[in-house]
Amino acid sequence: MATVLVCRRFPRLSRVTSFSTTAKCKAQSGSSRNKQEKEEDPGAANTGTEPAATIQLLNPLDYRVVYKPSAYAKGRAASQQDAARKGGQALGDTLTSPGTTQAQPAFGTTSPPALPPLRNAKAKPRSKLLLQQTISACLSARGEAEREKRETHDSKEDPRVFQKGRPEYRSLSYDKSEPMETLPLEEGDSILHSVAACRGSHSPGTITDYFLKLSRLPVEQHAALLSNPSFNTLCHSAVENMGLFSTAELVDLLKACVHLVVPPTHPLLDACEKEFCRRVWDMELEQLLLVADCWRCLERSVPSYLSILFSYTNLHWKDLTLPQFVQLLYIIGEGRRAPADLAQKVESMILKYLDSFTLEEVGAICLGLFKSLSGISEHVMRRIADRVSLQMEGMSTYALVNVLKMLRYTRVDHLPLLKELGKVIPARIPSTNIQGIMHITLTYSSLHYFDEGVLSAVAKSLPSKVTYCRSKDAAKFLWSFGCLDYEPPNEEEFYSSLIGQMHRKLHEFRKFPEHLLTGLLGLAFVKRFPEELIDYSLRDEFVQKTRSSKYELKKDLFTLSKSVEIECPGYRGSRLSPQLHQEMTEMALNFAEQEIYVRPEIMEATSLLESMLGGPEYVKSHMILPHTRSSDLEIHLDTDGHPIPFNSKHLIADKELKDIGVSLTDDLMTQLIKGSCPSQAPLEVGSGARIPGQGRGEEAPTEHPAAFSRGALTTDPTLQAEPKSGGCLEAPPPPGWHQQPQRLKLAVQVSNRNHYCYCSKRLLGLHCLKRRQLRQLGYVVLELPFWEWFPLLKRRRLEKLSYLQYKVFDPALLSKAG
């Protein structure tokens, strides 16, 4: 029920209204003209009995239309319109019906008696209104049809555009758009009768000829042909004679199957595949590539054939021409697999022909590599990007998007291409289909490159296109904008339209749970938490579905769940189980110990802060928020700016070490019983101990913990601390250990480049979320930015200590304590 409500809240209902209006007009009209004719002449007469149908066409002098049937009609319909136009009268006078050559009387003279008089002035406003509604409905319907065509991505045909660029591809690929003379139905029937009469006695050449001729039957006859018993007999004859076909005849037979759209699991294709696999080594490379292309057109998976083809091309690599190489990469991509032994040869061939490729071929190469998950070296990718950045304006958007896919896959930050893209692509966004826009946006977020012009153009265009978004598209848009922490000028319309589409596509998330989590995390980055979607994603049944995904989704579930817990205290929906939280927390901490805490920039900062503040008990290197997948250096200061020891792990460890190091001598027992030891000299602090506040040049506090050195209890001579009479031997409790006064909790962030957008100081969405949540939990975030800290790592220790002292004891930070 929630989904229905969301659908009503969001735009795109105008589309339904337009079609409803058109349908109403059709119902009112009793004319025998078809839909095509009505669109071509909205002002034509209606002969029905409904008054409204005629009223809306009154007063033709107030309504003038440029009459151009050829703009809308094709074939016979267009010729009918031309004939009507020749026999018609001038516009504004008596009009003729487009479907006839005989002139019809004016609208008023053919109206039923129930209609108002032609000169009735009261009817004019109503007729004008209805006429405008009719025109608007027709234009809206036509516009929707054009938009539908533009937004539809044909995964079979779109990648083949490059084949139109060179005549050589005609021998390497099957062109379904090539004109073909239609076979008369009578001749088709004659062939089928012949097959039935001469069952199994046809030669391979005759069988091939029959297939080619039958494939020329009108398209609407193909389905009936495939279920015809005589055609099945013909297929059976082909299977029985498979070994007798010449290679050329076998190729023609396969091409006929493509044109007839034979189902990919048809037994005839099984036999063809086996025979082609047997003949590979005796065929020409052009034939092999053409056959592979036919298999793609038939949507049949042929891994065995492709494996043999790749082996063949590996041996004949030096003989590949430019078109053959591009066609091979297209086949590799469509087969979704790349032979490892061809990787190096592919790179060398790309470099060899790079300047000779058309821009569409460059796009086809990148798409083939991307689909087959074929990595190429950074050097080759940069060379491709160099070529594209110089000629981007002459490149189709489809080919350009394919280059961006590979740029994203190889993680190459090619700044000239990205800058040129920012100049070229915003103007193309409105005419680009939704999947293309998604890949453009995802490239920016994957490379962490922020371009407000491009993102703003995407955000402006997307609400009107949102109904064409798949669940994947909607999720990637939300992720990309959230990752780059960008909320566009139309943010409410932008986000509400995408959230609405997520509701409408909820059924798809059962099959692709990763997309729902991707979208929700993108929303969480910009502090948006759609409760119903979150509740659905944290239910036990959905969590179970994530386990069957090919992606590891526990981390995403963990991040989302903890973010909701911190930022949405009023949330009452589903939650992850405590066991899963505990499991993910342990995984995050184990990862941090192996991969994060040991990073040089973090280890150096930890060591220096411990030295500056007085020891490891004053600094804790850990994950305050494990679900954000990055570490922090936690420090506590009192209201006066003094460090407070709080790291219980080190406090307990130090205490245990001190207890082990004490020798219970007679003198020590006397000292403990009497509370003093006049015969003993004042005890001294070991050389390794440091005093809190020492780094700032302040006087040491009198509560500094005692230390054990060389088996004797010692204290700093400047402290003159004495144990209490009759007390136990233990260090005085550190400030705030048993009682915690008001304190300033610092969360020190040792950032790196991966926390920011490329070549900028714009923080990425995940790290914005982390710092926002730290503040919400009462921490003051202090950053050691990489552009300051990393250069200092090579400087002297004193410089680094001075920098850290300046950062930690900044008066602006201390003013927040209290």
Side-chain angles (χ1 to χ4, degrees):
M1 185 62 188
T3 304
V4 175
L5 292 176
V6 172
C7 291
R8 292 178 180 173
R9 290 179 57 195
F10 297 102
R12 307 297 301 153
L13 292 182
S14 59
R15 179 179 180 186
V16 178
T17 306
S18 300
F19 282 114
S20 298
T21 307
T22 307
K24 182 177 179 181
C25 295
K26 290 180 186 177
Q28 291 173 339
S29 174
S31 171
S32 60
R33 291 179 299 169
N34 57 28
K35 179 181 176 182
Q36 178 85 28
E37 293 168 340
K38 288 183 181 180
E39 289 181 351
E40 290 164 352
D41 187 6
N46 287 313
T47 59
T49 59
E50 290 292 337
T54 304
I55 288 174
Q56 58 184 292
L57 298 173
L58 289 175
N59 197 12
L61 290 173
D62 293 337
Y63 167 51
R64 304 182 67 85
V65 179
V66 178
Y67 189 66
K68 190 179 180 182
S70 60
Y72 310 104
K74 294 181 180 180
R76 194 170 73 179
S79 64
Q80 290 175 345
Q81 295 294 333
D82 291 338
R85 181 163 50 87
K86 291 175 183 178
Q89 299 182 17
L91 280 173
D93 204 348
T94 305
L95 299 180
T96 60
S97 172
T100 64
T101 56
Q102 181 180 357
Q104 299 293 328
F107 293 123
T109 61
T110 60
S111 300
L115 293 179
L118 183 61
R119 290 187 175 88
N120 190 343
K122 294 181 180 179
K124 288 185 179 180
R126 184 184 175 196
S127 88
K128 266 191 172 183
L129 177 62
L130 292 173
L131 181 58
Q132 291 172 356
Q133 290 177 347
T134 303
I135 297 169
S136 175
C138 292
L139 292 176
S140 177
R142 187 176 297 123
E144 286 294 338
E146 292 174 356
R147 175 178 293 179
E148 186 86 33
K149 182 178 179 181
R150 185 171 62 247
E151 293 294 338
T152 302
H153 169 64
D154 190 336
S155 60
K156 283 178 61 179
E157 293 302 319
D158 291 348
R160 302 168 66 84
V161 176
F162 74 94
Q163 295 171 349
K164 309 293 183 184
R166 297 180 191 269
E168 293 90 336
Y169 287 112
R170 293 176 186 171
S171 61
L172 304 174
S173 60
Y174 181 81
D175 186 2
K176 291 193 291 186
S177 65
E178 187 177 346
M180 187 180 295
E181 184 181 356
T182 303
L183 185 75
L185 295 179
E186 296 79 8
E187 190 171 344
D189 290 339
S190 175
I191 292 173
L192 293 176
H193 285 310
S194 175
V195 170
C198 306
R199 187 180 299 268
S201 61
H202 294 99
S203 67
T206 302
I207 293 173
T208 302
D209 184 58
Y210 283 172
F211 267 98
L212 290 174
K213 287 181 177 180
L214 291 173
S215 69
R216 289 162 37 208
L217 284 170
V219 174
E220 57 270 17
Q221 300 294 324
H222 288 180
L225 175 66
L226 294 178
S227 60
N228 190 294
S230 296
F231 181 76
N232 291 332
T233 300
L234 184 63
C235 292
H236 184 70
S237 297
V239 172
E240 288 183 338
N241 293 277
M242 190 61 62
L244 302 178
F245 286 94
S246 68
T247 300
E249 290 172 339
L250 202 56
V251 171
D252 286 340
L253 178 63
L254 190 62
K255 291 169 69 174
C257 290
V258 173
H259 198 72
L260 288 170
V261 195
V262 174
T265 57
H266 198 283
L268 174 60
L269 299 184
D270 293 340
C272 286
E273 181 185 354
K274 292 178 182 177
E275 186 63 24
F276 276 120
C277 287
R278 190 181 66 82
R279 298 191 188 194
V280 164
W281 299 102
D282 299 322
M283 294 170 62
E284 298 292 332
L285 182 57
E286 284 189 353
Q287 291 177 319
L288 293 172
L289 292 172
L290 173 59
V291 170
D293 195 66
C294 288
W295 291 130
R296 170 55 187 153
C297 293
L298 288 164
E299 295 186 326
R300 181 180 171 93
S301 177
V302 286
S304 298
Y305 178 83
L306 292 181
S307 179
I308 302 173
L309 169 63
F310 297 152
S311 298
Y312 181 99
T313 53
N314 197 18
L315 292 176
H316 298 83
W317 193 259
K318 294 181 180 179
D319 301 328
L320 284 176
T321 63
L322 185 152
Q324 289 172 345
F325 170 70
V326 178
Q327 180 69 14
L328 176 65
L329 279 187
Y330 163 75
I331 296 299
I332 287 175
E334 297 307 303
R336 300 300 197 277
R337 58 186 298 267
D341 54 353
L342 290 183
Q344 188 173 355
K345 294 180 178 180
V346 166
E347 289 199 4
S348 64
M349 195 69 79
I350 290 175
L351 295 176
K352 176 182 177 181
Y353 289 125
L354 184 57
D355 294 332
S356 302
F357 292 133
T358 65
L359 293 173
E360 297 305 310
E361 286 172 334
V362 172
I365 289 168
C366 288
L367 183 61
L369 294 171
F370 177 78
K371 283 186 173 182
S372 61
L373 302 179
S374 303
I376 57 174
S377 66
E378 181 178 340
H379 170 68
V380 174
M381 190 65 239
R382 288 195 178 278
R383 287 288 306 276
I384 293 174
D386 288 341
R387 165 88 192 275
V388 171
S389 62
L390 295 175
Q391 299 177 297
M392 191 179 294
E393 290 188 357
M395 195 172 195
S396 73
T397 304
Y398 182 79
L400 180 56
V401 167
N402 291 337
V403 174
L404 296 182
K405 290 178 182 178
M406 201 59 196
L407 198 73
R408 183 177 87 220
Y409 181 73
T410 54
R411 307 290 297 177
V412 172
D413 49 349
H414 194 278
L415 199 55
L417 184 146
L418 293 171
K419 287 184 175 180
E420 187 65 20
L421 192 66
K423 299 175 185 177
V424 171
I425 209 64
R428 298 191 187 187
I429 292 295
S431 59
T432 303
N433 69 20
I434 200 71
Q435 290 186 38
I437 299 175
M438 182 273 287
H439 281 294
I440 292 169
T441 311
L442 189 58
T443 297
Y444 279 91
S445 65
S446 296
L447 297 179
H448 295 172
Y449 186 78
F450 179 78
D451 188 314
E452 187 170 8
V454 173
L455 295 178
S456 178
V458 170
K460 182 179 180 181
S461 180
L462 193 136
S464 64
K465 296 170 172 279
V466 77
T467 54
Y468 298 102
C469 283
R470 303 165 298 172
S471 58
K472 175 181 179 179
D473 301 324
K476 297 298 186 183
F477 279 122
L478 291 172
W479 168 266
S480 297
F481 276 71
C483 175
L484 297 173
D485 190 39
Y486 179 63
E487 296 191 78
N490 64 331
E491 60 178 287
E492 290 306 323
E493 181 188 20
F494 173 79
Y495 280 111
S496 64
S497 65
L498 283 171
I499 292 172
Q501 187 67 359
M502 294 278 279
H503 276 275
R504 287 188 285 271
K505 295 293 183 180
L506 200 61
H507 61 282
E508 293 185 13
F509 296 128
R510 297 186 182 96
K511 186 176 181 181
F512 305 105
E514 61 273 11
H515 296 332
L516 179 58
L517 295 179
T518 295
L520 290 178
L521 284 178
L523 286 167
F525 293 162
V526 292
K527 204 174 181 180
R528 293 176 183 268
F529 299 90
E531 184 170 344
E532 291 180 2
L533 293 175
I534 291 171
D535 174 65
Y536 180 82
S537 69
L538 298 181
R539 293 177 188 171
D540 289 340
E541 54 267 33
F542 183 82
V543 173
Q544 291 299 322
K545 290 184 183 299
T546 64
R547 300 182 190 278
S548 60
S549 173
K550 62 181 179 179
Y551 302 99
E552 173 52 64
L553 300 179
K554 286 183 180 179
K555 293 187 294 185
D556 293 344
L557 282 168
F558 184 45
T559 301
L560 178 64
S561 178
K562 295 300 289 185
S563 295
V564 170
E565 183 179 311
I566 294 171
E567 300 200 56
C568 305
Y571 173 74
R572 295 294 180 266
S574 304
R575 297 182 184 274
L576 291 186
S577 66
Q579 294 82 359
L580 188 56
H581 274 172
Q582 182 63 27
E583 177 188 342
M584 293 311 302
T585 299
E586 292 176 0
M587 284 180 59
L589 296 178
N590 290 337
F591 172 78
E593 289 178 355
Q594 297 175 19
E595 301 290 339
I596 298 180
Y597 302 153
V598 295
R599 291 175 182 169
E601 66 272 17
I602 294 177
M603 293 181 67
E604 183 75 354
T606 305
S607 173
L608 290 170
L609 285 171
E610 289 176 354
S611 175
M612 183 180 81
L613 298 175
E617 63 269 27
Y618 293 91
V619 182
K620 188 174 183 179
S621 178
H622 69 132
M623 284 182 165
I624 299 175
L625 302 176
H627 64 278
T628 61
R629 313 168 196 176
S630 56
S631 69
D632 316 270
L633 299 178
E634 186 173 355
I635 298 171
H636 292 188
L637 303 176
D638 64 19
T639 54
D640 296 326
H642 295 96
I644 300 174
F646 70 97
N647 192 349
S648 59
K649 176 181 177 181
H650 287 284
L651 284 171
I652 295 172
D654 288 347
K655 180 181 177 182
E656 290 175 350
L657 288 173
K658 292 169 187 175
D659 289 344
I660 293 172
V662 173
S663 299
L664 293 176
T665 62
D666 292 340
D667 289 340
L668 181 57
M669 291 299 297
T670 302
Q671 179 185 3
L672 291 173
I673 294 171
K674 295 182 178 181
S676 64
C677 184
S679 63
Q680 178 117 357
L683 306 174
E684 298 182 355
V685 176
S687 59
R690 294 189 177 272
I691 301 172
Q694 181 178 333
R696 296 182 289 115
E698 299 177 359
E699 183 179 354
T702 58
E703 300 87 1
H704 183 68
F708 292 94
S709 177
R710 297 180 183 177
L713 178 66
T714 60
T715 63
D716 191 329
T718 61
L719 297 180
Q720 300 296 323
E722 295 183 358
K724 294 179 181 180
S725 177
C728 299
L729 178 65
E730 64 176 7
W737 178 239
H738 293 299
Q739 54 180 1
Q740 293 195 1
Q742 286 185 329
R743 62 178 62 191
L744 180 70
K745 297 190 296 182
L746 296 182
V748 181
Q749 311 291 298
V750 184
S751 65
N752 60 59
R753 288 176 176 81
N754 289 334
H755 294 179
Y756 288 87
C757 291
Y758 180 70
C759 291
S760 79
K761 295 180 181 179
R762 183 184 187 89
L763 205 61
L764 292 173
L766 176 61
H767 302 284
C768 288
L769 172 142
K770 175 185 176 178
R771 298 186 185 192
R772 185 175 72 233
Q773 292 179 3
L774 284 171
R775 295 186 187 99
Q776 196 157 342
L777 293 176
Y779 286 88
V780 173
V781 177
L782 169 64
E783 181 181 8
L784 307 183
F786 71 89
W787 57 86
E788 294 176 357
W789 181 240
F790 279 46
L792 275 174
L793 294 177
K794 301 178 181 178
R795 309 295 291 272
R796 292 181 302 162
R797 176 183 174 84
L798 186 60
E799 292 181 73
K800 289 181 277 191
L801 284 170
S802 177
Y803 171 80
L804 291 175
Q805 182 173 347
Y806 166 78
K807 297 289 284 189
V808 172
F809 299 108
D810 182 358
L813 285 179
L814 298 178
S815 66
K816 297 180 182 180

